[in-house]
Amino acid sequence: MSVLLRPFRADEVDELWARRRREIADGSSWGPSTHEEVAERVANSGTWTDTPAGLLFAVEADGVLVGDVQARRSRGVLPGGVVEIGIGLYEATDRGRGIGRDAVAQLTAKLFEAGEAHRVQLSTDLGNAAMRRVADVLGFGFEGVLRGFMPSVDGPRDYAMYGMTETDFRDVRSAWTSTS
């Protein structure tokens, strides 16, 4: 399977807005809340911005848009050189096929190889076994549990924190099976 990170295309704005509206209806409080904000993120994808999206790429698998990855370096929140990444695959049928692993590997490699980070971190819901497996397989170190971290309609959720330093990356990169 071929996984590609690329900027979003302008013709994908309406599809992304429709997806975002469903997330809002399901109670998601994160991300853009208007069509205009989605269009702005699409227009700026592939380049660093000072918006919460930071650096945003579309994830394409075998020529089909299946999700997105983001890198955030929030000034005043994260120290310089520390980047937090996230991923979203849109359909359950795309999970468990290695797409997320390859996309996270490619983004992590881009950040370290471009000198954008000396540390890359990610966090995920404790119950998200698939994302926790991705972090483990790629060599991110488990650093602990962020108790009551993420707001949800059912109350704050605990999240697992993972991190990788530039030295870690050099040590594990050769073991990755993806062609980042």
Side-chain angles (χ1 to χ4, degrees), residues 29-30 123 125 146-153 155-159:
S29 61
W30 300 99
S123 62
D125 191 282
L146 303 170
R147 295 177 50 231
F149 178 73
M150 186 61 68
S152 79
V153 296
R157 306 267 312 164
D158 293 348
Y159 263 46

Side-chain angles (χ1 to χ4, degrees), residues 47-179:
T47 60
W48 279 103
T49 68
D50 288 331
T51 67
L55 179 63
L56 176 69
F57 288 103
V59 176
E60 191 176 283
D62 293 334
V64 176
L65 175 64
V66 296
D68 61 75
V69 291
Q70 326 84 41
R72 299 171 290 279
R73 56 179 182 197
S74 304
R75 297 188 197 324
V77 176
L78 296 173
V82 176
V83 177
E84 184 156 14
I85 62 174
I87 183 169
L89 295 179
Y90 301 143
E91 304 297 334
T93 55
D94 290 322
R95 298 182 186 118
R97 299 174 48 208
I99 297 169
R101 179 199 63 230
D102 288 355
V104 169
Q106 287 180 45
L107 181 58
T108 300
K110 282 180 187 291
L111 293 168
F112 283 125
E113 290 168 357
E116 296 285 350
H118 64 81
R119 171 188 165 85
V120 174
Q121 63 186 37
L122 62 89
S123 62
T124 189
D125 191 282
L126 279 180
N128 188 344
M131 189 63 202
R132 294 187 72 182
R133 224 175 6 264
V134 165
D136 288 336
V137 165
L138 293 179
F140 281 81
F142 175 68
E143 297 179 337
V145 175
L146 303 170
R147 295 177 50 231
F149 178 73
M150 186 61 68
S152 79
V153 296
D154 299 321
R157 306 267 312 164
D158 293 348
Y159 263 46
M161 172 62 82
Y162 292 84
M164 180 181 289
T165 66
E166 192 170 4
T167 301
D168 299 334
F169 172 70
R170 286 193 303 268
D171 291 345
V172 300
R173 173 68 168 99
S174 63
W176 292 357
T177 58
S178 81
T179 55

